[in-house]
Amino acid sequence: MLFPLFAIGEKMKGYMIFTGTELLLGKTLNTNSQFLTSIFAEIGIDLHKIVTVGDNAKRIIEVLNEVPSDVDVVFLNGGLGPTEDDLTKEALLEFLNLDAVYHQPTLDKILKRVGKKGLSGDLKVAEIPEGSIAFYNDAGVAPGSVVAKNGKHYFLTPGPPEELSSLMKNKIVPYLKENMIGTEKIYSRTLKFAGIGESKAEEKIRDLIKASNPSVAPTIKEGEIHFRVTAKGEDCKKLEVMVDEVSDKIIERLEDYYFGVDDESLESLVAEKLVRKGLKIAIAESCTGGLLSNTFTNIPGSSEFFDRAYITYSNMAKIEELNVNKSTLEQYGAVSENTAIEMAEGVFAKTNVDLAISITGIAGPSGGTIDKPVGLVYIAFKYNKQISVVTRIFSGNRLEIKNKVVKFILFEILRKLKED
Amino acid sequence: MLFPLFAIGEKMKGYMIFTGTELLLGKTLNTNSQFLTSIFAEIGIDLHKIVTVGDNAKRIIEVLNEVPSDVDVVFLNGGLGPTEDDLTKEALLEFLNLDAVYHQPTLDKILKRVGKKGLSGDLKVAEIPEGSIAFYNDAGVAPGSVVAKNGKHYFLTPGPPEELSSLMKNKIVPYLKENMIGTEKIYSRTLKFAGIGESKAEEKIRDLIKASNPSVAPTIKEGEIHFRVTAKGEDCKKLEVMVDEVSDKIIERLEDYYFGVDDESLESLVAEKLVRKGLKIAIAESCTGGLLSNTFTNIPGSSEFFDRAYITYSNMAKIEELNVNKSTLEQYGAVSENTAIEMAEGVFAKTNVDLAISITGIAGPSGGTIDKPVGLVYIAFKYNKQISVVTRIFSGNRLEIKNKVVKFILFEILRKLKED
């Protein structure tokens, strides 16, 4: 029998158990941990502890025994597959003294897929603890499930990240939110910014970060800063208004650096804008060496707006492909405003695009001088027949500098396209 | 007082504790966990459990109390910084009932850096438990340390991954190996393969994987498979011979797919070979969209061998930049052997390089047909005035396909350069 997860005003307490010998041997990076903990944080479950153990039923039971009495939700991840090493469910059944029953939709799926003979091992995947609620796995086979006993809810979830992700987003998070009914609801939104440092951004909204409802939590992601605004209460409409109000304040104070919300990425927003406006782009990359092109072409359907790029690493390539003047390279150097301009003009002249971009700089670790240090980058844009150049010094190692340059350019394009 | 870590024939038992509220909130991906567990696996420490708790001294002490009595080594990671949230060392001191003493080299470093006034907070970073051995932190400030009590060795290690990595490789792993004296020594080597699937590779060396000394442990890394060969015993020379013998067997059975050992990466090996032979390359990328160029230019000094690349995404770009015939595109399509050949010939004709490579294919998710499915890729090489084409179908999503194509090409280049 399941019971309501928590009463209003109380904070639900959580405990996470990851099972998998591969995690103890360093064979696999545990990305599920960050994924699940960030969901807990968003939903407002106060996580007590994370424990990782091997595929060993005795050890798993040992951990289940250690869970403190005031914990409400125990999340187990991994070990639901068909092999002998998959023992998480078996351990939970033994610990709770429960039997297993078949989850019919999963059983049907397995039987349909493989026929009926000789797969007793596989069939155990369709088992769930008696009295539990099952979550059908659209992305794989092993279902998720939740069973309530000893005043706690025990969740079993599959290990493969894509299965876990699908199950959490489509089934378990809605279930958790639903079952907080009569209690708190949660509404949250992530605001994304670029072109500004973490501490500078936080300084401007310190009062909002210190407030508790809505709460504002920063996360950093290579060249971007995200603020997650979360409101808690009983009335969904009210929560949305609360999040709207704080979001507006944040965006107002950091207006110059704001680019999107939630699942929006810088590159997807740029791509969307280019497609909507029917614009084509071409690029000349030197120090970023193909990273900007690669970022664009990671987007499905990028052929709609991405025409071509020249990765002109050598001086000869700059001269031959982009008609950069030899005298410009000699007089100002390959890393200079003049070279950047001539590269962009070269791309624009050779192609039939609306926006031409060029990048030249010093990604390091060597090649820097006092006048032109590692991280110095010139970026030229030719758009609406106008040329503009931006000069910036980026910090970090070679790969970090390349990444920051690309984020910066994406943000600049977005700004340019907004102005129209 | 420190004591020998274990007696011969016994296996050391380990326990890992990660501290950091950011890990419980999903703000940070815990990469230290995989890094440390893989080291434990290599050294031969049998890891009992991994526990992650917040920056909370009471909780950390609670976990220290839960460590089973048969554990020999307790590794604590994180929480050694100067802020109020950094409480790991304080918790361990309280738990072990030890005082803190200054680690003089670290204290000198801090004082030298910031002068003497008003940094009482910072100075706590230089503290270590009394009676411990300190490991000076070359990559940061907070030193690592180990102290022995209650029959266990407690290690404190810094949280920032680059500091942890440097400290483990240069100080703590050598210390651990050294202190197994009178007991087992360990020798290990990682062999790297590409161009073959995991199960097919494992099948060919199943007998060696089943053996225990040397042990052979597989790990998978996007498009590559690695086998770590580890021997244990008393005589270092003998261990090396044991690892040599098994390594030779593995390489012999998987000869066609072998490319390097330990820290060697596919791209660094290719780069090294190209530089040594004084060869220059140029590339025409269509479906990989700049990923191959970006992979090469991530290598410091790549300008020595990387001349330029054309990211010819549109048909027009293929015609204009590479002189691909319009009729070829019409008759065979952009994704065809003929187009790949003309692209490579075009690059070769326009540049002065020794090796020209072209790639055209369907990265998906759309664009596939029955005749030309998603994942179909044609790759042409023009080298030594000879043209060759390879056709392959790669599986996975858009990004996985791009990645696999690039690994495949790097491996092919390596093969070609070996033949000379």
Side-chain angles (χ1 to χ4, degrees):
Chain A
M1 195 200 70
L2 294 170
F3 35 83
L5 280 172
F6 64 60
I8 197 158
E10 282 179 41
K11 197 154 190 191
M12 194 154 48
K13 287 202 174 63
Y15 201 98
M16 246 177 230
I17 303 170
F18 293 92
T19 63
T21 302
E22 73 282 4
L23 295 171
L24 294 189
L25 293 175
K27 280 193 189 182
T28 318
L29 178 64
N30 188 353
T31 55
N32 288 353
S33 177
Q34 187 183 19
F35 174 70
L36 284 178
T37 50
S38 68
I39 287 179
F40 268 40
E42 190 185 322
I43 296 184
I45 301 175
D46 186 11
L47 185 58
H48 184 92
K49 201 192 272 184
I50 308 169
V51 179
T52 307
V53 279
D55 299 308
N56 177 320
K58 197 174 139 248
R59 287 273 165 86
I60 298 171
I61 292 170
E62 200 179 291
V63 176
L64 286 166
N65 265 311
E66 283 170 7
V67 177
S69 60
D70 62 347
V71 164
D72 305 289
V73 174
V74 180
F75 245 75
L76 295 113
N77 183 247
L80 302 186
T83 76
E84 284 176 18
D85 287 346
D86 293 306
L87 291 166
T88 308
K89 187 167 55 197
E90 287 73 1
L92 182 66
L93 290 171
E94 189 181 331
F95 172 73
L96 293 178
N97 197 17
L98 290 175
D99 285 330
V101 295
Y102 279 125
H103 178 233
Q104 197 59 43
T106 303
L107 192 61
D108 292 346
K109 185 188 212 169
I110 296 175
L111 293 176
K112 197 174 164 190
R113 191 179 286 183
V114 291
K116 283 191 187 177
K117 45 186 177 180
L119 40 70
S120 55
D122 277 6
L123 290 187
K124 85 165 192 174
V125 174
E127 290 178 349
I128 54 171
E130 57 171 338
S132 65
I133 290 177
F135 306 102
Y136 184 79
N137 186 340
D138 291 308
V141 180
S145 64
V146 56
V147 65
K149 208 171 169 180
N150 313 336
K152 299 187 201 324
H153 287 72
Y154 295 90
F155 285 83
L156 289 167
T157 55
E162 62 287 359
E163 296 182 26
L164 179 68
S165 167
S166 150
L167 212 55
M168 290 304 293
K169 281 181 187 161
N170 302 323
K171 309 278 168 76
I172 297 180
V173 170
Y175 172 85
L176 281 167
K177 288 186 176 172
E178 182 76 19
N179 286 278
M180 290 168 189
I181 284 179
T183 69
E184 278 187 318
K185 298 212 200 301
I186 280 158
Y187 185 91
S188 84
R189 184 183 300 153
T190 300
L191 307 174
K192 301 186 172 182
F193 302 84
I196 183 169
E198 175 190 3
S199 52
K200 207 179 150 195
E202 288 187 9
E203 204 176 281
K204 295 207 176 208
I205 58 165
R206 192 159 305 283
D207 53 325
L208 303 173
I209 291 178
K210 279 192 176 158
S212 62
N213 193 21
S215 67
V216 178
T219 43
I220 318 301
K221 212 192 129 201
E222 42 179 45
E224 297 179 15
I225 177 157
H226 300 176
F227 291 108
R228 189 167 52 211
V229 184
T230 308
K232 292 176 194 174
E234 285 173 74
D235 181 341
C236 275
K237 285 256 165 77
K238 259 191 204 162
L239 296 185
E240 197 174 338
V241 173
M242 287 164 70
V243 168
D244 280 348
E245 281 174 6
V246 172
S247 297
D248 287 350
K249 276 188 200 167
I250 297 175
I251 293 170
E252 198 190 314
R253 295 194 208 165
L254 294 165
E255 204 183 353
D256 290 349
Y257 314 102
Y258 172 70
F259 69 86
V261 297
D262 294 335
D263 284 342
E264 295 172 341
S265 72
L266 260 180
E267 53 267 36
S268 67
L269 286 168
V270 170
E272 212 179 88
K273 275 237 159 65
L274 290 168
V275 170
R276 200 178 330 126
K277 295 188 175 223
L279 301 175
K280 301 252 179 200
I281 64 165
I283 304 168
E285 299 190 51
S286 188
C287 66
T288 46
L291 181 61
L292 182 57
S293 305
N294 188 44
T295 304
F296 275 127
T297 60
N298 278 347
I299 301 170
S302 44
S303 48
E304 269 193 75
F305 64 88
F306 185 84
D307 179 60
R308 75 190 77 172
Y310 305 82
I311 318 300
T312 50
Y313 229 53
S314 66
N315 276 353
M316 206 38 121
K318 291 182 184 74
I319 294 168
E320 287 176 0
E321 303 299 336
L322 306 171
N323 294 316
V324 172
N325 283 301
K326 208 179 158 202
S327 62
T328 305
L329 292 169
E330 283 165 0
Q331 195 176 342
Y332 302 101
V335 179
S336 66
E337 200 174 299
N338 305 60
T339 300
I341 291 174
E342 290 188 19
M343 286 169 71
E345 293 283 10
V347 172
F348 196 77
K350 283 190 73 181
T351 61
N352 194 24
V353 299
D354 307 282
L355 171 61
I357 302 165
S358 73
I359 309 145
T360 180
I362 302 162
S366 62
T369 63
I370 292 171
D371 286 345
K372 296 187 178 177
V374 166
L376 174 68
V377 179
Y378 296 93
I379 302 153
F381 300 88
K382 174 92 176 185
Y383 181 53
N384 279 342
K385 287 174 189 161
Q386 297 228 309
I387 194 110
S388 59
V389 196
V390 187
T391 311
R392 279 281 184 290
I393 298 176
F394 298 90
S395 63
N397 63 31
R398 185 176 177 89
L399 269 58
E400 285 163 354
I401 289 171
K402 286 178 75 171
N403 263 315
K404 285 181 184 176
V405 174
V406 164
K407 293 279 182 196
F408 177 83
I409 293 173
L410 291 171
F411 190 59
E412 281 291 306
I413 301 175
L414 213 54
R415 245 206 281 240
K416 274 181 202 303
L417 297 180
K418 229 185 248 170
E419 285 164 12
D420 297 353
Chain B
M1 195 199 73
L2 294 171
F3 34 84
L5 280 171
F6 63 60
I8 197 156
E10 280 179 44
K11 196 153 192 191
M12 193 155 47
K13 286 201 175 63
Y15 200 96
M16 248 177 230
I17 303 171
F18 293 92
T19 63
T21 303
E22 72 282 3
L23 295 172
L24 294 189
L25 293 175
K27 281 191 189 183
T28 319
L29 177 65
N30 187 353
T31 53
N32 287 353
S33 178
Q34 187 183 17
F35 174 71
L36 284 179
T37 49
S38 68
I39 287 179
F40 268 41
E42 187 183 324
I43 295 184
I45 301 176
D46 186 10
L47 185 57
H48 183 92
K49 201 192 272 186
I50 307 170
V51 179
T52 308
V53 281
D55 298 309
N56 178 321
K58 199 175 136 244
R59 287 274 166 85
I60 297 171
I61 291 170
E62 202 179 289
V63 176
L64 286 166
N65 266 311
E66 285 170 7
V67 177
S69 61
D70 62 345
V71 164
D72 305 289
V73 174
V74 180
F75 245 75
L76 296 113
N77 183 247
L80 302 186
T83 77
E84 285 175 15
D85 288 347
D86 293 305
L87 292 165
T88 308
K89 186 167 54 197
E90 287 73 2
L92 182 66
L93 290 171
E94 190 182 331
F95 171 74
L96 294 178
N97 197 17
L98 289 176
D99 286 328
V101 296
Y102 280 124
H103 178 232
Q104 197 59 42
T106 302
L107 192 62
D108 292 347
K109 184 190 214 171
I110 296 175
L111 293 176
K112 197 174 165 190
R113 192 179 287 185
V114 292
K116 280 191 189 177
K117 44 185 175 180
L119 40 67
S120 54
D122 277 8
L123 289 187
K124 84 166 193 174
V125 174
E127 291 178 349
I128 53 171
E130 57 172 336
S132 64
I133 290 177
F135 305 103
Y136 185 78
N137 186 341
D138 291 308
V141 181
S145 64
V146 56
V147 64
K149 207 171 171 182
N150 313 335
K152 298 185 200 327
H153 286 73
Y154 295 89
F155 285 83
L156 289 167
T157 55
E162 64 285 1
E163 296 181 25
L164 179 68
S165 167
S166 149
L167 213 54
M168 289 304 295
K169 281 182 187 159
N170 304 322
K171 310 277 168 77
I172 297 180
V173 169
Y175 173 85
L176 281 167
K177 288 185 175 173
E178 181 76 18
N179 285 278
M180 291 169 186
I181 284 178
T183 68
E184 278 187 318
K185 297 209 201 301
I186 281 159
Y187 186 90
S188 84
R189 182 182 302 154
T190 300
L191 308 174
K192 300 185 174 184
F193 302 83
I196 183 169
E198 175 191 2
S199 52
K200 205 178 151 194
E202 288 186 8
E203 205 175 279
K204 295 207 175 206
I205 58 165
R206 193 160 305 280
D207 54 323
L208 302 174
I209 291 178
K210 280 192 176 158
S212 62
N213 194 16
S215 66
V216 179
T219 43
I220 319 300
K221 214 191 126 200
E222 38 179 46
E224 297 179 12
I225 178 158
H226 300 175
F227 291 108
R228 189 168 52 212
V229 184
T230 309
K232 293 174 194 175
E234 285 172 76
D235 181 339
C236 276
K237 284 254 166 76
K238 259 193 203 158
L239 296 185
E240 196 173 340
V241 173
M242 286 163 72
V243 168
D244 280 347
E245 280 174 6
V246 172
S247 298
D248 288 349
K249 276 188 200 167
I250 296 175
I251 293 170
E252 196 190 314
R253 296 197 208 165
L254 294 165
E255 202 183 357
D256 291 347
Y257 314 101
Y258 172 71
F259 70 84
V261 298
D262 295 335
D263 284 341
E264 293 173 341
S265 73
L266 260 179
E267 53 267 37
S268 67
L269 286 170
V270 171
E272 210 179 90
K273 274 237 159 66
L274 289 169
V275 170
R276 202 180 326 129
K277 295 187 175 220
L279 300 176
K280 300 253 179 200
I281 64 164
I283 305 169
E285 299 191 51
S286 187
C287 66
T288 46
L291 181 60
L292 182 58
S293 305
N294 190 44
T295 304
F296 275 128
T297 60
N298 279 346
I299 301 168
S302 43
S303 49
E304 268 193 76
F305 63 88
F306 184 82
D307 179 58
R308 74 190 78 174
Y310 305 82
I311 318 299
T312 51
Y313 228 52
S314 67
N315 275 354
M316 206 36 120
K318 292 182 184 75
I319 295 167
E320 289 177 0
E321 303 299 337
L322 305 171
N323 294 318
V324 172
N325 283 303
K326 210 180 158 202
S327 61
T328 305
L329 292 169
E330 282 165 2
Q331 195 176 341
Y332 303 101
V335 179
S336 66
E337 199 173 302
N338 306 59
T339 300
I341 290 173
E342 290 188 18
M343 286 169 71
E345 292 284 9
V347 172
F348 196 77
K350 284 189 73 182
T351 61
N352 195 24
V353 298
D354 307 282
L355 169 62
I357 302 164
S358 73
I359 309 144
T360 181
I362 303 163
S366 62
T369 63
I370 293 172
D371 285 347
K372 295 185 177 177
V374 167
L376 174 68
V377 179
Y378 296 93
I379 302 152
F381 300 86
K382 173 94 176 184
Y383 181 53
N384 279 341
K385 287 176 191 160
Q386 296 229 310
I387 193 109
S388 59
V389 195
V390 186
T391 310
R392 278 282 185 291
I393 297 177
F394 297 91
S395 63
N397 63 32
R398 187 176 176 88
L399 270 57
E400 286 164 353
I401 288 172
K402 286 176 75 170
N403 263 316
K404 286 181 184 176
V405 173
V406 164
K407 293 279 183 195
F408 177 84
I409 293 174
L410 292 171
F411 189 59
E412 281 293 304
I413 300 175
L414 214 54
R415 241 204 284 237
K416 274 182 200 305
L417 297 180
K418 227 184 251 169
E419 285 165 12
D420 297 351

